[in-house]
Amino acid sequence: MKIVTRVDHPELQEEAATVFRERWPEFIFHDDVPKKYLARVEEHFSFFDVMALDDDGAVVAGGWGVPLAWDGTVADLPSGYDGALVRAVEGHEGGREATTLSFMAAAVGSAHDKRGLAAVVLRELTRRAYSKGLVHVIAPLRPTWKHRYPTVPMSEYASWTRADGLSIDPWIRTHQRMGARILGPATESMVIAGTVAEWESWTGMVFPVTYDYVVPDALNLVRVDVGQDRGVYVEENLWVQHMGPPEVR
């Protein structure tokens, strides 16, 4: 297994994008905030954008994060994924010193599941964070199974545990096994808005009346207002904090 930064291997960009895209529903790519900030993330923070390659040089996993200022309190957490992007980019461009790495995404190719590769990527990002003098590592998680319970608040879902005390959710468990603790919900992590026709194209569904809809792979309900020709999805994620450098845990 070899870890490289994506910027150093432009020939693998398309392959890496495929690994990432297969893990998320189409609507998640229509949030306006990343459209505005991701090019600047790539420009400023390429050190925190990594890929794991197998012995043949194929991309099997990847992940990225952004450094931002955070004082260590729950009250000072960003609103979620969008808020972390904004704070990281605008803080960097405004000369504000970063204290924290926020994981933003990690993905493993579907042919390489259950090999612990997500943890490999997260540990590498954590190592890089501490090597740059950052003192905290956090993440606005998108729990793997939350879409099965779209009417359940994240705070309640995050409290559901197995007999061993770990979360019922596989992605939360991955972080817990790495020493992470739950901080609380990211109540407005992403806001995705579009016309009714756009939502129908993103989901393969039909929205004939104004309603709060259960949409496949959405963690919360999607509000569709037919009269206003508008659908809005506010995704709630879960903030966790990783506790200390990998060599300490």
Side-chain angles (χ1 to χ4, degrees), residues 17-104:
T18 299
V19 170
F20 271 85
R21 200 168 187 92
E22 68 182 3
R23 289 300 189 178
W24 283 279
E26 176 61 31
F27 62 78
I28 215 75
F29 299 103
H30 297 277
D31 181 354
D32 286 338
V33 172
K35 294 175 186 176
K36 181 178 179 181
Y37 286 91
L38 280 181
R40 291 145 76 186
V41 167
E42 293 172 5
E43 177 185 352
H44 300 322
F45 309 131
S46 61
F47 183 72
F48 297 110
D49 186 353
V50 302
M51 301 181 296
L53 310 182
D54 66 12
D55 292 340
D56 296 323
V59 179
V60 296
W64 62 281
V66 293
L68 50 81
W70 178 54
D71 69 8
T73 66
V74 172
D76 191 47
L77 286 167
S79 61
Y81 180 96
D82 288 351
L85 278 182
V86 173
R87 186 181 298 188
V89 171
E90 295 188 354
H92 177 82
E93 293 175 350
R96 188 177 183 190
E97 183 178 0
T99 62
T100 303
L101 181 72
S102 176
F103 298 144
M104 300 302 288

Side-chain angles (χ1 to χ4, degrees), residues 164-227:
D164 62 4
L166 296 177
S167 172
I168 67 162
D169 188 272
W171 191 223
I172 298 175
R173 284 201 305 275
T174 293
H175 288 262
Q176 288 176 325
R177 286 170 174 149
M178 293 177 66
R181 66 183 180 109
I182 293 171
L183 297 178
T187 55
E188 292 189 8
S189 194
M190 303 183 80
V191 180
I192 300 168
T195 65
V196 175
E198 286 174 328
W199 272 101
E200 290 180 342
S201 71
W202 298 338
T203 62
M205 295 176 63
V206 176
F207 302 107
V209 298
T210 296
Y211 206 73
D212 293 326
Y213 287 90
V214 175
V215 169
D217 295 315
L219 309 194
N220 309 96
L221 300 178
V222 176
R223 179 64 179 177
V224 175
D225 188 320
V226 174

Side-chain angles (χ1 to χ4, degrees), residues 105-164:
V108 176
S110 56
H112 303 280
D113 281 342
K114 302 187 184 303
R115 294 176 54 192
L117 295 178
V120 170
V121 169
L122 296 177
R123 287 192 183 97
E124 174 61 18
L125 289 172
T126 300
R127 185 193 68 77
R128 288 172 177 245
Y130 286 104
S131 77
K132 292 295 186 181
L134 303 178
V135 296
H136 303 296
V137 175
I138 58 177
L141 301 188
R142 190 174 200 270
T144 307
W145 288 355
K146 177 62 173 69
H147 68 94
R148 301 179 181 182
Y149 311 95
T151 63
V152 177
M154 183 64 77
S155 58
E156 181 176 350
Y157 179 79
S159 72
W160 295 353
T161 58
R162 309 185 310 179
D164 62 4

